[in-house]
Amino acid sequence: MKTFIYPEMMIHVPMCTHKNPLSVLVAGQKSDLLQKELGRYRDVTVAAAHDQDLLESLRASGDKSADVAVIDMLAADSAVIAHLNRILKDDGLAVMNHPNLDDVQSNTVLMQVLGNYFKIIMPYHLEDGSTLLLCSKEYHPTADIILQRSDLLEGHQYYNCDVHIAAFAMPQYVRKNYLGIIRN
């Protein structure tokens, strides 16, 4: 897989979905690539959480201190998700890694825990067949895309507004497996 696809999709999907993202929390092993992509946005404050102990980093973060959280790791622990909810603002959203969609049981448990805090929980595709999980308290990733922002950003090699919307299309077997679990 081309190395630019993952960071572009991890950053620009939530940044072009949230109405006015000013504060972003980034956690994970590829945080340098993610922060580089975030550099395309003016007036955005980026805080980095330590990936060695995500729970402790989230505990140390202030209440309602982030508009967007980008978690470049599996964050399936219910305590991690509760703290993630605490640090996100009322209209905040998060993007995270999750188990492969073929692992319906693990994803069901994760999405049920996320469902306690987020109105919208939707996986989206990357070019290599893997998916990321977008969790939003307010904004829908295809209905609320900020087209002007997504079209005016320069320097992308992969991301654009059409790819953004298309990434959320799921095959029928995924829809059937996750009926009532994915919230869109």
Side-chain angles (χ1 to χ4, degrees):
M1 184 168 101
K2 296 179 175 43
T3 58
F4 53 81
I5 295 173
Y6 182 83
E8 285 188 18
M9 292 299 285
M10 190 82 160
I11 295 299
H12 302 301
V13 169
M15 294 300 286
C16 292
T17 298
H18 194 283
K19 184 178 179 179
N20 190 23
L22 297 175
S23 54
V24 179
L25 174 74
V26 176
Q29 298 172 355
K30 299 177 184 145
S31 64
D32 55 334
L33 293 172
L34 300 174
Q35 289 183 35
K36 180 181 175 189
E37 284 301 318
L38 281 167
R40 298 176 192 271
Y41 298 91
R42 294 185 203 142
D43 303 324
V44 172
T45 304
V46 178
H50 302 291
D51 61 333
Q52 292 83 9
D53 194 348
L54 179 60
L55 180 58
E56 285 304 315
S57 292
L58 293 176
R59 281 184 177 146
S61 298
D63 293 356
K64 299 189 186 307
S65 60
D67 294 305
V68 173
V70 179
I71 312 296
D72 176 35
M73 63 183 72
L74 183 60
D77 183 276
S78 58
V80 167
I81 294 168
H83 280 288
L84 181 62
N85 174 63
R86 181 185 57 78
I87 67 162
L88 285 171
K89 295 179 183 174
D90 293 335
D91 63 348
L93 57 88
V95 171
M96 64 180 67
N97 289 322
H98 65 105
N100 184 296
L101 284 174
D102 290 336
D103 186 352
V104 177
Q105 184 177 357
S106 295
N107 275 302
T108 298
V109 171
L110 173 61
M111 291 180 194
Q112 286 174 336
V113 172
L114 290 166
N116 294 323
Y117 305 105
F118 297 95
K119 291 181 189 176
I120 297 164
I121 304 164
M122 294 174 65
Y124 64 99
H125 285 281
L126 300 180
E127 190 175 87
D128 67 354
S130 65
T131 55
L132 296 171
L133 196 60
L134 183 131
C135 311
S136 177
K137 293 182 176 187
E138 187 69 30
Y139 304 109
H140 191 280
T142 59
D144 295 322
I145 182 175
I146 310 298
L147 291 173
Q148 184 176 6
R149 187 179 306 144
S150 66
D151 283 343
L152 292 179
L153 284 171
E154 296 179 356
H156 296 119
Q157 297 181 63
Y158 184 77
Y159 177 84
N160 61 49
C161 64
D162 295 328
V163 167
H164 179 118
I165 293 170
F168 288 93
M170 288 290 137
Q172 193 62 24
Y173 79 92
V174 172
R175 287 180 177 197
K176 284 181 180 180
N177 287 343
Y178 290 94
L179 186 65
I181 300 166
I182 292 175
R183 294 183 176 189
N184 54 1

